[in-house]
Every structure is written in C-alpha cells, then in structure tokens.
Amino acid sequence: MKKLVLTGAAGRLGSYLREPLTRMCDELVSTDIVAQIGKLYEGESYVQADLTDLAAMEAIVKDATMVVHFGAIGDEAPWDDILQSNIIGAYNVWEAAYRQGVKRVVYASSVHAVGMHLKTDTIGLDAPHKPDTYYGLAKCFAEDLASLYWDKRGIESVCMRIFSCAQATNARSIGTWLSYGDLIHLVERSIDSPVVGFTKVWGISNNDRAVVDNSKAGHLGYRPKDNAEQFARDVFATTPHLDNKDLANLCIGGPFATVELGNSGVAALGVVNDKKTT
C-alpha cells in the first residue's frame, strides 16, 4: 500500500514494528510526542505530534490506507492522564481516520480490558469486558469505539489484546508471553487480511499454558510460532511460592488486578527495557 501511519513509534513495541512496516508500504509515517526517534529506515519519516491534538492527527493520517495505533500511556496512571492520552487520544485517531477516509485502524488493545477474569476460565474473545485498572478501562472504551466506527462509519478495526510482550522473566509470563516475532506477525496479518470488519484477537504466542482461546480470530491467519515453555524450567526454579488466593496470581491481568487505581502495574512485572535501536 502507499502509506501507513504508526503511532507510539518511540515506544518499546513500536521500535520493533517500524522496520517491518516499511516493507509493507511505500511510505511509513511514524509519530510520537518525543522530538526525534533516531535514525529512520528507508521509506520512513517522523512527525512529532500529540494524540490529544485532533488537527495534528488529521494531518498525519491524510492519504493513509491504515493506521497502526500503539500510542498512549502503556501502564496504569492517574485518571486525568489516562483520559487525555488513552481515551481522547483514541477518539482522535478514529475520528481523524474517518475524516480522512482511512480504511482500517490496527489497535494495540490489551489483556487489561478483561484483566479481572480468572486464568482458569480460559476465556474466549466473546468474554465481557472486565477491566482491572483505568488503563484497562480505556482499552474497553477504545474497543467499543472501534466497534461503533465500524457499525456506523465503515472503518475496519483489529483490536489486538496484547499480553506480556517482553522477556519471559516471571511465572505469569509462561502462559501470557507474546514474542516480538509473533507481535510482528500479528500486526502484519491485521494489515494484510483482506476483510476484517471489527475483529478482536488475543496478542499471545503459542504457549502450552496459554490462558485464553483465540479460535474465533482464525480468519486473520495469525499463527504464532513461539512458545514460552522454553523458559518455564528456569523461571519456575527461581519463582517463590505463589499465593493461590492472591488476585495477582489468579487473574489474567496479573498485578494490575491488585494495584491501587492510578498506580503503576508495570512496576511489579520486572519488564526488561530491551527497546530496539536502529
């Protein structure tokens, strides 16, 4: 296609998507709130912009076929921060897409939209929203916004409910890991599938101990190849005994299920910042 837009290009996950996305289009416009993101790939340009600025979003998505929306706060945060970046920002992306005739939004949703469901329920994509934080609540809003803009305005969306897309370093991640390779594959299938309408899909690798069922998203052709079982022995050997009455261990949202609203959930996960550098 001619033009793709990637929001959140300065983030850790965005850093792994930039190069693969340049191979899917003539022009990749990467955007974030930082002043610059370093060396650009062939076919990539960068525009500094704030998601809360609708006019800026309209200018960026002009003539784009699709938007890959990874921008916004990637953790639990105070309500006013989530409202501006994650809720108003999401509205601006879909509204700008509608005004500029964009075909599809590929959205980085999250497990935290349903984070209070139990691991042992092995829920499917039709499970009701059950957010664990303001952050998760904003993901619920964006998913419903995507559904509304498909039903009323014909903008397709794929809402990728991303799990633990980071190094598998804790017991929870053995069931919830999403490798960077599988993330790229999922985004590619969300872009090149001919018809998606409004689709939800779990962003999770092919883990033996996966805590969700992805069978209802088979039409995307997402076939993850990686499996966190390769890390299980070492991780479990160094993991203290888990309290089976602690919601952080019982719920698929992990520690997000127990943090006080407005406080970081990522802080309890020990995420390694292995952001890709060009």
Side-chain angles (χ1 to χ4, degrees), residues 16-273:
Y16 286 89
L17 294 175
R18 289 169 50 206
E19 184 177 16
L21 289 180
T22 62
R23 297 194 289 266
M24 300 188 76
C25 59
D26 295 332
E27 177 188 6
L28 173 67
V29 177
S30 294
T31 182
D32 213 309
I33 59 173
V34 300
Q36 52 83 29
I37 54 173
K39 183 179 178 181
L40 300 174
Y41 295 99
E42 184 176 354
E44 181 187 23
S45 61
Y46 179 72
V47 179
Q48 181 183 14
D50 193 319
L51 291 169
T52 62
D53 185 340
L54 177 55
M57 289 300 105
E58 271 202 78
I60 288 169
V61 305
K62 187 177 185 296
D63 299 324
T65 304
M66 298 184 191
V67 177
V68 180
H69 180 32
F70 272 69
I73 297 169
D75 189 7
E76 173 67 336
W79 168 251
D80 285 344
D81 296 339
I82 293 292
L83 174 63
Q84 294 300 317
S85 181
N86 297 38
I87 294 179
I88 293 175
Y91 165 78
N92 286 345
V93 167
W94 267 273
E95 180 63 17
Y98 166 67
R99 294 184 185 185
Q100 294 299 325
V102 173
K103 174 184 178 182
R104 183 180 303 170
V105 177
V106 176
Y107 175 55
S109 189
S110 171
V111 58
H112 300 295
V114 290
M116 296 305 295
H117 284 285
L118 299 179
K119 293 178 182 178
T120 51
D121 289 341
T122 316
I123 62 172
L125 290 162
D126 52 358
H129 283 156
K130 202 171 177 66
D132 50 27
T133 44
Y134 293 144
Y135 172 74
L137 183 64
K139 297 299 185 181
C140 295
F141 169 83
E143 288 189 2
D144 287 344
L145 181 74
S147 176
L148 176 67
Y149 270 60
W150 166 242
D151 290 338
K152 300 296 287 284
R153 291 182 161 176
I155 304 233
E156 291 191 310
S157 292
V158 179
C159 294
M160 306 173 296
R161 289 177 171 173
I162 294 172
F163 275 80
S164 306
C165 195
Q167 294 181 27
T169 58
N170 56 66
R172 173 176 175 266
S173 65
I174 302 304
T176 61
W177 185 53
L178 174 65
S179 70
Y180 292 129
D182 284 337
L183 169 68
I184 292 166
H185 171 53
L186 175 57
V187 172
E188 288 173 341
R189 291 295 79 81
S190 297
I191 290 171
D192 66 15
S193 292
V195 177
V196 301
F198 168 67
T199 292
K200 294 176 289 186
V201 58
W202 300 116
I204 194 168
S205 284
N206 187 33
N207 304 322
D208 289 353
R209 308 178 200 231
V211 295
V212 289
D213 175 12
N214 227 351
S215 59
K216 289 191 175 181
H219 59 281
L220 281 183
Y222 172 55
R223 303 293 183 267
K225 299 177 176 62
D226 295 321
N227 189 334
E229 201 62 26
Q230 62 185 296
F231 310 114
R233 186 171 183 175
D234 290 341
V235 168
F236 292 154
T238 58
T239 298
H241 174 72
L242 298 180
D243 181 356
N244 62 10
K245 296 181 181 179
D246 184 351
L247 287 178
N249 299 325
L250 292 173
C251 294
I252 64 174
F256 278 66
T258 56
V259 295
E260 183 65 30
L261 290 174
N263 293 341
S264 173
V266 170
L269 292 172
V271 174
V272 176
N273 185 10

